[in-house]
Amino acid sequence: MTRTKLIAGNWKMNNTFTSATQLVGDIAAGLPNALNAEVWIAAPYVYINTLAENTSNTPIRIGAQDISTHVSGAYTGEISGEMLHSVGAYFVLVGHSERRNYFGETDEIIATKIDAALNSNLIAVYCCGETLEEREAGNHFDIIKTQLHTGLFNFSELALNNIVIAYEPVWAIGTGLTASPEQAQEIHAFIRTQLLNKFGAATADKMRILYGGSLKPNNAAELLAQPDIDGGLIGGASLVEADFNYIINAASTAI
Ligand code: PGA
């Protein structure tokens, strides 16, 4: 089956309102005419409403970088799925390694967040991946298997229609280090086999698995050509219009 490639930018805590609106406008203007990929941007909460409006006539979809586990109520500072959906968010990142490492998110919390996203008609981008120590100790397959089983595999086959997986080797995020195409493909294939064993061929075949971790113009084509890499979750390079559009182009023309 052909899975449509997906390029998702993750802006993290970057851009002012002015630079955010400018950047999205520039990205939209720079999209190829024959776009053959999906383009998503995970923006800071406070810009979602405007960016979603500004891109409503373009193929770009705007999403959030996090979501509350709670539905509503006395949770000062939290943002619910319903709120996100009501301002035009299309998707939400869940379980990014920065949320896991700096904010103590466990696979259990992350599973609750996926549930919150799905209940609010948002697509959940479930992030998983190993640290450098875990890779050096040769534990990366076990770590990812546990993350998948605890964070994701309690959901139904139907729910998985609204979930995208992002494999992000933590050691490659924001460091300039990248998994080699072979290393990335190896893990992506492993994740797809886990999906196959749990849900069967149809689900394993249609689920998109993105690669994240210093995906840049100079390595995009090679990574995106791997058979089990269905796109990218892109931090640093999504902040630079020329770089992001270059990667979108690479995805759009990848087989
Ligand atoms: P990076 O970030 O592309 O800057 O490594 C990837 C991510 O954290 O999503």
Side-chain angles (χ1 to χ4, degrees):
M1 117 164 312
T2 347
R3 296 175 291 268
T4 307
K5 291 263 194 294
L6 166 56
I7 297 298
N10 174 15
W11 282 0
K12 310 190 181 183
M13 200 169 72
N14 291 296
N15 280 315
T16 61
F17 181 73
T18 306
S19 63
T21 48
Q22 175 79 41
L23 180 55
V24 159
D26 291 347
I27 291 167
L31 292 177
N33 286 333
L35 178 66
N36 184 24
E38 290 183 39
V39 181
W40 298 2
I41 294 170
Y45 287 136
V46 287
Y47 309 147
I48 291 173
N49 198 353
T50 303
L51 297 184
E53 277 174 14
N54 290 3
T55 54
S56 60
N57 292 324
T58 79
I60 299 172
R61 305 280 202 165
I62 303 297
Q65 299 169 17
D66 190 23
I67 181 172
S68 177
T69 54
H70 300 287
V71 173
S72 66
Y75 301 102
T76 301
E78 288 287 270
I79 305 285
S80 72
E82 187 183 27
M83 291 173 178
L84 292 174
H85 191 259
S86 74
V87 293
Y90 179 69
F91 73 96
V92 60
L93 306 183
V94 182
H96 190 278
S97 65
E98 287 151 18
R99 301 292 320 168
R100 292 176 188 264
N101 295 338
Y102 306 150
F103 303 97
E105 292 193 11
T106 60
D107 284 323
E108 288 76 14
I109 292 173
I110 292 160
T112 311
K113 290 190 171 192
I114 296 176
D115 205 36
L118 300 181
N119 287 336
S120 302
N121 292 317
L122 297 166
I123 295 179
V125 179
Y126 173 74
C127 307
C128 58
E130 81 284 359
T131 63
L132 186 59
E133 299 74 50
E134 288 161 348
R135 177 162 278 266
E136 283 177 344
N139 290 338
H140 41 298
F141 292 110
D142 285 345
I143 294 291
I144 287 160
K145 193 169 174 180
T146 304
Q147 289 173 339
L148 290 173
H149 281 263
T150 327
L152 198 59
F153 282 5
N154 292 325
F155 290 92
S156 67
E157 223 178 302
L158 194 67
L160 290 202
N161 284 330
N162 292 315
I163 299 175
V164 171
I165 296 174
Y167 166 61
E168 300 210 296
V170 179
W171 47 274
I173 294 179
T175 57
L177 297 172
T178 321
S180 69
E182 295 74 25
Q183 281 174 323
Q185 167 57 25
E186 183 183 37
I187 298 279
H188 282 237
F190 174 77
I191 293 172
R192 208 174 298 285
T193 304
Q194 298 299 308
L195 289 166
L196 176 76
N197 294 343
K198 171 78 185 170
F199 297 103
T203 298
D205 215 35
K206 74 179 171 211
M207 269 206 90
R208 288 187 289 189
I209 308 172
L210 313 182
Y211 171 78
S214 297
L215 200 154
K216 308 269 186 218
N218 64 2
N219 56 25
E222 232 190 334
L223 284 161
L224 294 169
Q226 301 303 312
D228 288 296
I229 298 185
D230 306 313
L233 180 58
I234 296 147
S238 72
L239 298 169
V240 180
E241 183 271 325
D243 289 357
F244 196 52
N245 275 323
Y246 186 99
I247 296 168
I248 292 166
N249 247 300
S252 197
T253 51
I255 306 139

